Amino acid sequence: MGTCIICGTPVDGRICNSHQEDVVFHFEGNSPDQLISRRFYSGTVDGYADFGVFVDISPGVTGLLHRSELDRRLESLSWEPGDTVFVQVKNVRDNGNIDLGWSIRQSEREFRGVLVQDADGDRDVDDDSDDDDGHGHADESATESETSDSSDSSNSSESDESSSEPNEPSDSSPETNSADAAHELTADEGDDSEAAESDERPDYDEPEPEGETQRVEIGSLQDRVGQSIRIEGEVVGARQTGGPTVFELRDETGVVDCAAFVEAGVRAYPEIDVGDVVRLDGEVELRRNEIQVETEALVSLEDEDAETVQRRLADALTARARPEAVMPLAAHDSVEAVSEQLLDAAEAIRRAILESRPIVVRHAATADGYVAGAAVERAVLPLIREEYAKSDAEYHYFTRRPLDDAVYGMDAATNDVTRMLQDQDRHDEKLPLVLLLGTGSTVESSDGLGLLGVYGAKRVVVDAAVADEDVEDDTEVLVNPARAEADASDLSTGALSANLAAAINDDVRDDLAHLPAVSYWEGAPQAYLDLAEESGYDAERVAALREAVALEAYYQSYQDKRELITDLLFGDEEGHDTGLANHVAEQFRIKLDDEVETAQANLEQRDESGVDFAVIDTDSFTHRFDFPPSTLLVEELHRRNRNGGSFVTLGIGMDELYLRSTEDVDVRAVAERARENLPNAGVTANGVREGRIEFLSGVRDDVREAVVDAVVEQLD
C-alpha cells in the first residue's frame, strides 16, 4: 500500500483514481492492453496521415490522434516526426488500435506529477537507474529546462570519457557503437534529449558494404529474422525520427523500412536521397511484429551497378503491374467494350502500389459513388498490405475523398495539390495517382485535371456516363464506354468500378459480386441482380444497402468513412453483421418519405406544348442542410410522378436548379439557350452529370421560365 503522489491518500499504487488525469506517464510496457484509458502519456510523433497523427507511446505501441480530436486544424500543427508530445488514451480497441485524445498540456511542468508505467505497474521516475534510457524521463519536480540541462551534461560527460579522435577505434566511439545503438532505437522511437542537435552534422565515417555477400530479396526477409543480409533497391522514402534515420527501400519483391543510426536525431547517410539506387547490409529485426532492417552499411550504386538494379526493378514492375486479362463479374457488353481500358487502369493502379506512390480516390458523395470507391478500396488495400511491412501502410498509401459535386473543379484540385505537396515536403512522398470515379470526365473538370497535370500527378478517370473527348488529353487513362463507341445506358459507375476492382485484385472477386446491383436505384441489369442473389444478397438486402449507403454518403460527405462503409457493404463477410444496414436504411426511408410528402403537396404541375413539368421550389419547401439533398429529392419526385410521355422534373433553389427528364436532354444546350435569352443571368451548366444549372439569384424566376422554354424547344 502506498500514497497518492498528488493528495497523499492511501492507494494500491502511486496515484488515486481521482487524480489519474493530473499526472503524465512515460510508458515502458510492450502491449496496447497495458495502457489505461483516461491517462495522459508522453509520446513521439511518428508521422502524419490525412486523418490525423500517429504517435508512438513506446517503441512497440503506436496510437492515432484523429484530426477530430484536435483543437485546431491538422495542417496547422508544427509537430515533426520525432517530436515529443503529450496525449490522452481514449480507448484501446479489441484489435489493438489505440484512439488518442488531444492534451492542451504540452510540457511536463504543466502536469502535477510524472510517473513511469511498465508491465509491472507504476513507479516514480527517480526509481530508474541513473543511466539515460533514451526516453528523456525527468524527475517530477524538474522543469523542462532542467531536464534538458541535465541531459546535456550527461551527454557531455560521456563524450569527454570517449576518445577525442573520431576515427580511432574505441569502445565508445560512434563507429563501433552506431550499429549497436540502432538496435536500441527502432524506426518509430523518439528521443526527447536535444543534446545531439547542432547546426552542423558530426563528421562520422559511416560504413559502406564490402565483400561479396549474396543479395537477398526483400520478400524473403520474413524468414530471415536475426540474420545479417544484403539487399539492393531504390530508396522510396526517407524520414528522420528522434532516434534513427529510416530509409524505405524497395526491390522487385517488396518494401521494407531500414533504420540507420549515428546519433539521436541526426541524419544518417545524408548523401542518400529518395530515388537513389543503393546497396545495404544489415540485420533483420522484428519490431512491433513488423520486419525492419537495422542498417550496418549503406552505399549509393552508380553506372552499371545502378543500371542493373533499375532494369531488374523495371522488368519486375511491368510483369507484376499488368493483369493478364479482364474477366467481367457478369456478362455486360459495355464492360467488355472497355476491357483494354480497364487493363490500362488496373495496371496504373497496381504500378502505383509497387512504386510506393500514394493513391487518392475521388468519387461523388452518392450511393453509386461510394460503391465505386469502396470496390476499388476493397481491391487495393490487400495489395498494399502485402507489399509493405508497415501495418499502417494502407493509411499512408490509400486515401478516399468524396466530392460534394460531380465535377472535379479547381477547389477540389487545389485541396489535393496542397496536400500532396505537404506530404512530399513532410514525408518525401511521391506525387500521387489520382483516381476519379464518376467524375472528372467532362470539360467542367478540365481546370482541375490540368492543375494536377502541372505538378505531374498521375490521373485516371473511370466513368460510365458519356465523357467529353477533350478530357482524354488531361488524363493518362480514361475508362469510358462512350469513347469506345459502346452504349452504356444500362451501366453505372459503381458496376464499372467493381469490374475494375476485380481486374486489380482477382482475389477479392467474390467480395465484389453484390456491389454492381447495389449501385443502381433502378434498371439494374438482370445479370447483376442474379450475381448478387447467388452471393446471398436478395433484392431486399440490396435495396437496404443502397439506402443505407446513400444516407451515410450525405452526412459529412467530405469524409471517406472507411470503416462505416466497410461495415455496411461487407459486414456479413467480416462476420459481425449487427443489422446496421437495416437500421440505417430505415432512417433513410423515414427522412426521405417525410420530405417527399411535403414536396408533393407543393409540387407545381404544368403542361408546356405536350411536355409535362413538375416543379418544386427546393428553397421554400425542403429543409436546407438536412437529408435528403436536392439531387436525391428531385430524383425521387421524378420516379414517383413521371408518366408514359415526355416528363420533366425541375427542382429550383436560390441560385441553382436540377433537371430530370424521361427523354434525353442536353443540359449544356439547355443552359446555353437560356443564357442567350438571359445574357446577364449568369446561366451555366456546372454539373451535367447531376443535371445542374447555376444562375444569379436575382433573376431566379426568369431563369426558371427560360429553362422550361429551352427544354420544350429541344424536345419538340
Side-chain angles (χ1 to χ4, degrees):
M1 180 70 70
T3 58
C4 175
I5 66 171
I6 302 298
C7 62
T9 59
V11 291
D12 185 14
R14 299 297 296 120
I15 187 74
C16 67
N17 287 334
S18 61
H19 289 106
Q20 291 285 332
E21 298 180 32
D22 295 324
V23 172
V24 65
F25 291 84
H26 296 297
F27 184 62
E28 294 185 353
N30 53 21
S31 171
D33 295 336
Q34 297 165 357
L35 294 169
I36 298 176
S37 294
R38 292 179 48 224
R39 279 188 172 183
F40 287 89
Y41 291 89
S42 63
T44 304
V45 176
D46 176 47
Y48 282 79
D50 287 337
F51 43 82
V53 185
F54 289 101
V55 178
D56 295 330
I57 308 302
S58 75
V61 179
T62 299
L64 172 64
L65 177 60
H66 195 274
R67 63 188 307 152
S68 63
E69 294 287 340
L70 300 175
D71 68 348
R72 65 198 69 183
R73 290 174 59 85
L74 177 64
E75 294 77 9
S76 68
L77 284 180
S78 60
W79 295 347
E80 295 293 336
D83 286 353
T84 297
V85 296
F86 298 87
V87 292
Q88 185 180 40
V89 170
K90 307 281 286 188
N91 180 44
V92 178
R93 305 189 188 189
D94 293 340
N95 61 4
N97 290 346
I98 305 166
D99 299 325
L100 301 178
W102 171 258
S103 170
I104 195 172
R105 294 170 289 186
Q106 286 297 318
S107 68
E108 284 187 353
R109 61 184 160 200
E110 295 180 64
F111 292 88
R112 297 178 63 184
V114 183
L115 291 174
V116 175
Q117 177 192 333
D118 57 23
D120 298 323
D122 306 334
R123 67 176 189 272
D124 292 334
V125 173
D126 52 15
D127 289 344
D128 292 350
S129 63
D130 292 334
D131 295 334
D132 186 6
D133 65 359
H135 290 278
H137 296 166
D139 186 271
E140 63 196 57
S141 62
T143 66
E144 283 185 306
S145 60
E146 289 170 340
T147 303
S148 178
D149 290 342
S150 64
S151 177
D152 288 340
S153 175
S154 172
N155 285 337
S156 176
S157 64
E158 290 177 8
S159 176
D160 291 342
E161 292 173 7
S162 63
S163 171
S164 61
E165 298 295 330
N167 294 324
E168 179 180 320
S170 72
D171 290 342
S172 58
S173 69
E175 288 73 29
T176 57
N177 283 346
S178 62
D180 293 335
H183 290 278
E184 299 298 323
L185 288 167
T186 72
D188 298 299
E189 281 189 89
D191 192 308
D192 293 341
S193 171
E194 298 180 0
E197 296 181 3
S198 64
D199 293 335
E200 296 184 2
R201 181 183 178 279
D203 186 19
Y204 292 134
D205 292 330
E206 289 147 328
E208 298 181 356
E210 297 180 355
E212 299 298 326
T213 304
Q214 184 176 0
R215 179 184 69 88
V216 302
E217 296 177 337
I218 289 175
S220 70
L221 297 186
Q222 191 74 40
D223 301 324
R224 300 178 184 273
V225 175
Q227 298 181 14
S228 294
I229 52 89
R230 168 171 293 179
I231 52 179
E232 295 177 347
E234 177 188 3
V235 176
V236 294
R239 64 183 187 275
Q240 183 61 54
T241 72
T245 305
V246 183
F247 296 101
E248 198 172 358
L249 191 62
R250 175 180 66 85
D251 73 359
E252 64 273 25
T253 64
V255 180
V256 69
D257 277 354
C258 304
F261 184 84
V262 289
E263 189 172 309
V266 175
R267 177 69 149 84
Y269 300 96
E271 72 280 4
I272 302 296
D273 292 322
V274 173
D276 286 352
V277 177
V278 301
R279 176 179 295 135
L280 183 147
D281 288 350
E283 182 175 341
V284 183
E285 300 283 348
L286 190 64
R287 302 285 186 181
R288 295 169 50 198
N289 293 320
E290 296 175 356
I291 294 297
Q292 177 179 289
V293 177
E294 302 295 343
T295 304
E296 296 170 355
L298 176 64
V299 66
S300 178
L301 298 179
E302 298 179 354
D303 302 328
E304 291 185 6
D305 289 338
E307 290 177 6
T308 298
V309 175
Q310 289 170 333
R311 185 164 51 252
R312 188 167 63 233
L313 291 176
D315 291 345
L317 189 62
T318 300
R320 295 177 64 194
R322 190 170 183 84
E324 294 183 5
V326 170
M327 296 178 59
L329 294 172
H332 201 158
D333 291 343
S334 55
V335 173
E336 294 172 4
V338 292
S339 58
E340 283 300 315
Q341 297 173 10
L342 287 171
L343 277 176
D344 292 340
E347 179 182 1
I349 293 166
R350 290 169 62 92
R351 182 177 290 271
I353 297 170
L354 299 175
E355 289 178 340
S356 301
R357 187 179 303 281
I359 298 171
V360 176
V361 176
R362 286 294 211 167
H363 61 79
T366 62
D368 186 31
Y370 266 91
V371 167
V376 172
E377 179 178 277
R378 193 70 169 183
V380 168
L381 294 189
L383 299 181
I384 292 176
R385 296 186 195 110
E386 291 174 9
E387 189 68 18
Y388 301 93
K390 289 175 66 65
S391 61
D392 60 356
E394 64 189 68
Y395 292 100
H396 292 289
Y397 289 109
F398 186 88
T399 303
R400 190 160 50 73
R401 299 176 189 153
L403 287 164
D404 285 331
D405 299 325
V407 172
Y408 186 71
M410 282 295 291
D411 54 346
T414 299
N415 185 299
D416 287 342
V417 167
T418 300
R419 291 190 185 190
M420 74 186 191
L421 293 179
Q422 288 175 341
D423 289 341
Q424 185 183 50
D425 179 61
R426 183 178 289 160
H427 308 300
D428 285 328
E429 283 188 359
K430 291 184 176 181
L431 296 178
L433 178 146
V434 180
L435 174 63
L436 299 112
L437 304 174
T439 184
S441 65
T442 62
V443 293
E444 289 80 16
S445 297
S446 293
D447 290 342
L449 292 171
L451 182 61
L452 292 178
V454 167
Y455 285 94
K458 306 293 184 181
R459 298 150 295 173
V460 175
V461 173
V462 180
D463 199 347
V466 177
D468 293 330
E469 182 178 355
D470 294 343
V471 172
E472 290 188 81
D473 296 332
D474 295 322
T475 63
E476 277 69 38
V477 181
L478 173 61
V479 182
N480 186 256
R483 305 310 314 155
E485 300 182 354
D487 178 16
S489 57
D490 65 342
L491 180 65
S492 68
T493 295
L496 183 59
S497 299
N499 281 283
L500 170 62
I504 295 170
N505 185 357
D506 192 66
D507 290 343
V508 300
R509 173 177 294 272
D510 292 343
D511 297 351
L512 307 170
H514 64 292
L515 295 187
V518 175
S519 68
Y520 289 86
W521 282 105
E522 58 182 351
Q526 190 61 43
Y528 290 139
L529 296 176
D530 293 341
L531 186 63
E533 184 83 31
E534 293 168 4
S535 302
Y537 292 82
D538 59 20
E540 184 177 347
R541 290 189 64 197
V542 165
L545 288 178
R546 180 189 309 117
E547 292 167 355
V549 171
L551 183 67
E552 296 302 340
Y554 172 76
Y555 290 110
Q556 298 184 347
S557 58
Y558 56 88
Q559 295 183 355
D560 65 357
K561 297 182 280 293
R562 178 180 295 185
E563 292 81 7
L564 177 56
I565 296 299
T566 297
D567 281 348
L568 286 172
L569 291 177
F570 307 104
D572 288 351
E573 297 170 12
E574 299 293 340
H576 52 79
D577 179 29
T578 58
L580 175 64
N582 288 333
H583 172 75
V584 179
E586 182 180 1
Q587 298 302 310
F588 168 91
R589 287 188 288 271
I590 291 173
K591 290 177 177 291
L592 182 62
D593 288 345
D594 286 349
E595 200 77 3
V596 168
E597 183 179 353
T598 301
Q600 286 279 47
N602 295 281
L603 202 61
E604 177 190 345
Q605 303 274 2
R606 55 194 286 191
D607 181 302
E608 297 288 341
S609 302
V611 179
D612 291 327
F613 283 85
V615 182
I616 181 65
D617 186 334
T618 56
D619 248 11
S620 301
F621 299 109
T622 64
H623 294 99
R624 298 186 66 190
F625 312 118
D626 198 4
F627 185 87
S630 296
T631 50
L632 193 56
L633 175 63
V634 173
E635 284 275 9
E636 187 65 18
L637 288 171
H638 186 66
R639 279 193 289 268
R640 296 190 185 189
N641 291 283
R642 64 192 176 191
N643 51 38
S646 297
F647 187 87
V648 177
T649 304
L650 295 180
I652 185 162
M654 182 176 65
D655 57 1
E656 63 182 11
L657 67 79
Y658 294 90
L659 185 156
R660 296 292 184 273
S661 174
T662 55
E663 298 185 37
D664 289 339
V665 171
D666 187 334
V667 177
R668 284 203 192 102
V670 168
E672 183 177 351
R673 184 59 174 161
R675 185 167 57 250
E676 291 175 1
N677 293 329
L678 297 170
N680 298 317
V683 181
T684 180
N686 193 18
V688 295
R689 291 286 180 270
E690 301 172 288
R692 180 161 62 96
I693 296 175
E694 295 182 350
F695 51 86
L696 300 178
S697 59
V699 288
R700 180 173 178 268
D701 292 342
D702 293 337
V703 169
R704 180 190 60 206
E705 297 307 312
V707 167
V708 168
D709 291 342
V711 171
V712 170
E713 182 179 320
Q714 192 174 130
L715 295 180
D716 188 10

